[in-house]
Amino acid sequence: MSRVGKKPIALPGGVKLQIGEELQVEGPKGKLLVPIPKGITIENKNGTVEVTRESDKYAALHGLTRALASNAIVGVSSGWTRELDIVGIGYRCDVKGNLATFTLGYSHSIEFLLPQGVDMTVDKQTHIVLKSHDRQLVGQVAAKMRALRPPDPYKNKGVRYTGEVLRKKVGKSGAGGKGK
């Protein structure tokens, strides 16, 4: 039995569900749709949501569907947050509306257009906080921002997730070469 799939999901106040071809979750933060694959059923029982499957053939989809439904319910009720840090001299970020401008040591600044549904705030020009009701969307935006300048393994400069542990490589030592 799927350990993730058999856990019931508590339904917070203010969240409405519509179960049909897909699960429609609506709450104070927004509205999300979760696909329900064949062989999986979702039931709302007394303020909890339960996900069941027809047979063991659908075991992988069972846990996946339950996790997606849980992420949607948490997202529309309290939202998801992802934080990034910019490390490096002269590296910074500014945001105006839905356009973020990064200065990351290249010869030009990089403009990043935020998708609809993602809010971004910048503290001290080097700490970015992304908020959204969609966990997949906020994670994808954070990954794209990190990819603009991934942390350098020698100096650890670049864009990284807050709390990300990096292994620093040792650089060259000595004068090198054998000399003649």
Side-chain angles (χ1 to χ4, degrees):
M1 186 73 182
S2 171
R3 293 181 184 190
V4 173
K6 66 182 176 183
K7 281 188 193 173
I9 306 166
L11 200 61
V15 177
K16 297 175 189 169
L17 295 179
Q18 286 184 353
I19 303 167
E21 292 287 318
E22 51 192 9
L23 178 67
Q24 189 173 6
V25 185
E26 195 170 346
K29 299 265 182 188
K31 181 178 174 183
L32 289 171
L33 298 173
V34 178
I36 302 174
K38 291 181 182 176
I40 305 293
T41 56
I42 297 178
E43 297 172 350
N44 187 0
K45 294 182 180 176
N46 300 332
T48 60
V49 179
E50 293 183 6
V51 181
T52 55
R53 65 179 187 235
E54 287 178 12
S55 67
D56 287 346
K57 183 171 124 180
Y58 302 105
L61 290 174
H62 186 202
L64 172 72
T65 306
R66 190 260 177 215
L68 292 175
S70 176
N71 289 344
I73 290 170
V74 170
V76 298
S77 62
S78 59
W80 294 100
T81 307
R82 203 71 161 115
E83 295 183 19
L84 296 151
D85 288 323
I86 301 174
V87 179
I89 296 171
Y91 290 12
R92 63 181 175 271
C93 177
D94 297 313
V95 65
K96 288 181 182 154
N98 64 345
L99 186 70
T101 306
F102 289 89
T103 305
L104 298 172
Y106 297 116
S107 61
H108 59 284
S109 59
I110 301 167
E111 292 185 345
F112 189 95
L113 187 64
L114 292 169
Q116 190 174 8
V118 176
D119 295 326
M120 178 174 158
T121 57
V122 179
D123 301 332
K124 301 178 190 171
Q125 295 183 329
T126 59
H127 185 75
I128 300 168
V129 179
L130 298 169
K131 293 181 182 178
S132 178
H133 64 284
D134 190 350
R135 184 174 187 178
Q136 292 170 330
L137 182 64
V138 77
Q140 184 65 43
V141 170
K144 285 182 180 178
M145 285 183 179
R146 184 183 184 275
L148 295 175
R149 177 72 107 175
D152 173 39
Y154 296 101
K155 296 182 180 178
N156 284 346
K157 291 169 30 174
V159 181
R160 66 173 81 161
Y161 299 117
T162 301
E164 181 180 8
V165 178
L166 300 171
R167 288 181 50 187
K168 192 171 182 179
K169 288 186 178 179
V170 180
K172 285 188 194 177
S173 62
K178 295 189 178 180
K180 288 187 179 181

